[in-house]
Amino acid sequence: MSDRPDSRNGPAVLLGEAAEDWTGDAVFYEYSAAADPLESGTIAPVPIHRFSPGLHTGAASGIIPLDLSGPLGVPYPATSPALLASFVVIGPGDRVVTVPDATSELYYCLRGQGHSDVERSSTAGTTSGRIRWEQGDVLTLPAGCTTVHTADPSDPTGALLYRVTDAPLLRYLGATATEARFEPTRFDGREARARLAEVERDPEAMGRSRVSVLLANRSAPQTLTVTHTLWAMIGVLPPGRVQRPHRHQSAALDLITECAPGCYSLIGSQLDADGAIVDPQRVDWEPAGAFVTPPGLWHSHHNESGRPAYLVPVQDAGLHTYLRSLDIRFSSTGP
Ligand SMILES: [Fe+2]
């Protein structure tokens, strides 16, 4: 039996209409008072923020969120409006369980080796499997996963993972992720490094804006991203190199996997006539540290250390590409 109002019986009466006027939350703004909430300050900008490796050094097994919910003005853990990054520390033989409400989880193994036992629940039932990982591997998990991450007991330093999920996006939407959009996927770290070395050897590499490999999933043939919401890159910044400024509307949660002192990013809102960033904020890199590059700001990377540096930025650029709002731009001149 249909629950639609039947027009043959006269106009439908909607719930509450007869007793209430429903206007209590309705607001009218003069256009210029509400057209740019970021400019007027009613919504907070994404801050440039650096997270020290001291956050996880010597820490007990557990999940350490890189939480900027205070500056972002949201009542749930978040590193950027849509994403939450964390360090996951797992002592030798220890286990850490993750049960996110997210459409996408991404893990990068910074140290150690171990495995993740993944149990997926869906309307079709429950399935489970084990994924082994080691330093340099990347793992992506879809919605509906309860996962037990275990570090090998043989490794006295245990394991350290960098994790990014889109849980804040779902909290903002008031939605629960129920449908997996891709299969659990492992990106082999050795293969990624080999592909990166191939790109670096290419004689045209010096002319490119980035020496890097983008991770992608067959399930995202339009956005060409690591999941339908997340974007991830494995990059090298060779010694003496400057990567020219660029900008995009996705927020970047940049992980530095390896570097010597003398590597840094410059971040700012404007370029000068030579294509250099005006009055930039400098963010020094630290191995196994992370930092946030806000959406829309120009950023360049610099390596004055004499040794190659490696980075793994993770962004919400899968979502932005779907929305056609990524707006990536490169400085055409300058450093
Ligand atoms: Fe970027």
Side-chain angles (χ1 to χ4, degrees), residues 246 248 299 315:
H246 76 288
H248 35 75
H299 46 288
Q315 305 178 9

Side-chain angles (χ1 to χ4, degrees), residues 210 231 233 246-248 250 252 254 293 297 299 301 313 315 328:
R210 296 288 178 277
W231 174 104
M233 185 193 104
H246 76 288
R247 47 151 289 178
H248 35 75
S250 48
D254 296 283
T293 303
L297 296 189
H299 46 288
H301 302 314
Q315 305 178 9
I328 187 162

